[in-house]
Amino acid sequence: MNVIKKIFSASILSSALILTGCMSEGESSALENAINSDHRSVENKARDQYRHPKETLEFFGFMPEMTVVEITPGGGWYTKILAPALKGKGKLYGAHYPDTGEDNYYSNSRKKLVEMLASDPIYSEVVLTDFVPKKTSTLAPAGSADLVLTFRNLHNWGEEGMQQVFKDAYTALKKGGVLGVVEHRMPTSQNWKENMKSGYVPEALVIDFAKAAGFSLAASSEVNANPKDTADHPRGVWTLPPSLALKDQDKEKYLAIGESDRMTLKFVK
């Protein structure tokens, strides 16, 4: 009877750790080692001050044994952290635009990602799946994922695309699994319909769409907040670094602001 109680207690403790995002020393080291590894460029590491990868992933409850989905990895900024942190213990799916053979942004982005993954054995266990905005996509086998992540992508997909992505994430996740969202945050003083092309998205809209897909909002964090960002710039969010769309015009001003103000939301299935 005592043995059964101990097993039950251990199970409850394990579940609690996943929900709260607590990590053991070894698990934390795996993440820190990936973040500090030499395979990450100096340029990528310089952005840690704005993207806070360790704090963000820990907030979402990341653990090296998890099955994780990263939606549209793009240039692989987060993939370069997730892949080595998960290798040998967990699993990483990169749900990215398919290569249709055409010379367009989507196909070219997929080709570049494939080339990056082939460039280093550290990415050898990453599995790519096809993601198509506004269409039902199998991000990972249904009910297999512990964590689905999207970083600064929602503004690319529009309302219909956001709603579909949340449905796809819900399908991919296990019960109790987490959807982690980081996105450029539009101030409540701005009108969404008038500023949709700015790259910023209202936090309340994201929460409503996620809830409509079946998720519960478990927590929000200000780890990626930037009070210096007014979200009112000539070229939208791309005015700020790293894009600096105005190039040298007012460059010092925008460098002083830094990267965008971002919502960081944790949803649970």
Side-chain angles (χ1 to χ4, degrees):
M1 189 68 174
N2 289 336
V3 174
I4 294 175
K5 285 183 178 179
K6 287 181 180 179
I7 293 173
F8 179 76
S9 297
S11 176
I12 293 296
L13 177 60
S14 176
S15 298
L17 288 173
I18 291 173
L19 186 59
T20 59
C22 296
M23 300 176 73
S24 70
E25 185 176 342
E27 290 166 336
S28 182
S29 294
L31 186 53
E32 289 178 354
N33 289 342
I35 291 170
N36 296 324
S37 174
D38 290 340
H39 79 278
R40 295 186 70 218
S41 67
V42 173
E43 292 76 14
N44 276 2
K45 289 180 179 179
R47 300 187 69 188
D48 290 354
Q49 64 178 309
Y50 301 115
R51 295 190 169 189
H52 310 100
K54 183 175 185 291
E55 296 84 354
T56 299
L57 290 173
E58 287 182 345
F59 172 72
F60 291 143
F62 173 87
M63 293 185 183
E65 300 82 13
M66 285 182 163
T67 294
V68 178
V69 179
E70 182 185 3
I71 303 177
T72 59
W77 195 93
Y78 256 102
T79 309
K80 293 172 183 177
I81 295 171
L82 293 167
L86 290 164
K87 189 173 184 181
K89 293 183 179 179
K91 192 173 190 67
L92 177 60
Y93 289 97
H96 204 65
Y97 310 116
D99 179 5
T100 61
E102 301 171 271
D103 183 16
N104 58 35
Y105 169 80
Y106 301 105
S107 291
N108 292 334
S109 179
R110 177 66 171 242
K111 288 178 181 130
K112 289 178 182 177
L113 180 61
V114 169
E115 289 174 3
M116 188 204 86
L117 296 179
S119 70
D120 193 316
I122 205 166
Y123 309 119
S124 63
E125 296 179 8
V126 179
V127 176
L128 291 183
T129 57
D130 290 339
F131 164 75
V132 181
K134 301 181 182 179
K135 294 184 179 181
T136 302
S137 301
T138 302
L139 308 179
S144 68
D146 299 289
L147 182 60
V148 173
L149 300 168
T150 173
F151 301 102
R152 305 166 312 282
N153 289 314
L154 302 184
H155 60 278
N156 293 316
W157 302 330
E159 293 191 7
E160 183 183 350
M162 281 189 267
Q163 293 177 79
Q164 184 59 56
V165 168
F166 290 148
K167 291 176 184 177
D168 294 339
Y170 193 88
T171 300
L173 284 164
K174 301 173 181 176
K175 185 177 181 180
V178 169
L179 167 64
V181 176
V182 176
E183 178 59 297
H184 312 296
R185 176 166 48 194
M186 179 176 288
T188 55
S189 59
Q190 290 187 13
N191 183 288
W192 163 240
K193 296 298 183 183
E194 294 176 0
N195 294 280
M196 293 179 69
K197 294 183 179 181
S198 69
Y200 293 90
V201 179
E203 187 169 313
L205 184 71
V206 175
I207 293 172
D208 286 346
F209 285 164
K211 286 182 176 179
F215 287 102
S216 297
L217 177 64
S220 62
S221 171
E222 293 300 296
V223 66
N224 294 303
N226 181 359
K228 294 180 182 179
D229 179 18
T230 63
D232 183 15
H233 311 297
R235 298 284 183 87
V237 72
W238 300 279
T239 309
L240 299 177
S243 298
L244 293 171
L246 297 180
K247 298 183 179 180
D248 289 333
Q249 182 183 336
D250 294 324
K251 182 177 180 180
E252 294 305 316
K253 169 186 173 180
Y254 296 117
L255 285 175
I257 294 172
E259 295 194 18
S260 67
D261 176 58
R262 293 160 186 167
M263 67 184 89
T264 304
L265 304 174
K266 180 179 181 178
F267 298 99
V268 176
K269 178 176 177 177

